[in-house]
Amino acid sequence: MNDRGPSDRPRAANSRHNTPPADKITPTQAIVGYVSAVPVPQSRAESASSAGGGRRTLAAALLFGAVGAAVVLLASGQTWAEGHAAVGGGSVPLRATGQNVTGVPAALAIVGLAALVAVFAVRRAGRLLVSGLLAVSGAGAALAAFLGADDSAALDEKAARTSGDAAETIAGLTHTAWPYVTFAGGLLLLVAGLLALRFGAGWPAMGGRYERDGSPRPRKARPVKDPDRPEELWKALDRGEDPTGV
């Protein structure tokens, strides 16, 4: 027969959940509590993920910059506008390339390509400056191509020279899609510059692993000659010395 009363059961249940007072905490319990409060360091998976993200942005910037510069240089040499000029009762077909319309996109593409290479040759403030130059080159090339997409001044000048009449203008003017291809190449350069501005601080520098710290190189110790070796004995005999002498 159970002789415990109802009031004893809650007391027994509560005793299982009571925590020891502060003055009765053992050293082992204190150490366990301290260790559990220490923040967990960054895992290897997170470190590898951040390194992989840096490599991806680096590869993307290289791809966008190289392709953008190549597209601008290629498209700038193509025909942007066509027309014909009236000469002696007939007409002469004329065309203008991107270089005839404006030489700014090609020049800025070369600057941007040089800046793309220089991004990996400098660090810190220099890298930030070169990355900004890359972005500005792309923006300038895209803007110049967009403004020259419907330009007719280059063909008007050619028509005046061809006809011999300074007032002659081009007739039947048409434009191609090459200015907009140049515009797209400039945008790729701009994106490469923005990627370098945003993530370039974590990219590696060119030849960083081969840089010296300026400390002198340790000299190699000369090997100690053993006089008892056969070759040393023969050398002593050649010099006229007695190898057995003390």
Side-chain angles (χ1 to χ4, degrees), residues 146-245:
F146 182 78
L147 295 177
D150 57 353
D151 183 82
S152 61
L155 281 179
D156 287 339
E157 184 180 354
K158 282 190 173 185
R161 288 201 308 267
T162 302
S163 64
D165 184 2
E168 182 69 24
T169 58
I170 195 70
L173 179 63
T174 58
H175 294 88
T176 66
W178 285 110
Y180 301 102
V181 176
T182 309
F183 175 78
L187 290 183
L188 289 178
L189 277 173
L190 174 60
V191 171
L194 294 178
L195 286 175
L197 285 172
R198 174 63 180 85
F199 303 102
W203 293 348
M206 185 183 299
R209 67 174 62 184
Y210 302 108
E211 293 181 357
R212 296 180 182 177
D213 55 358
S215 58
R217 293 182 177 180
R219 294 183 178 181
K220 295 182 179 180
R222 294 182 178 180
V224 180
K225 296 181 179 180
D226 186 3
D228 295 332
R229 298 180 63 182
E231 58 267 22
E232 296 298 332
L233 296 175
W234 284 110
K235 290 180 181 179
L237 291 174
D238 292 339
R239 292 193 298 269
E241 300 176 357
D242 183 7
T244 60

Side-chain angles (χ1 to χ4, degrees), residues 39 64 85 91 94 98 105 112 118 246:
F64 290 156
S91 62
L94 299 174
V246 180

Side-chain angles (χ1 to χ4, degrees), residues 51-73:
R55 287 193 295 267
R56 285 192 295 270
T57 56
L58 171 61
L62 283 174
L63 178 63
F64 290 156
V67 172
V71 168
V72 171
L73 291 173

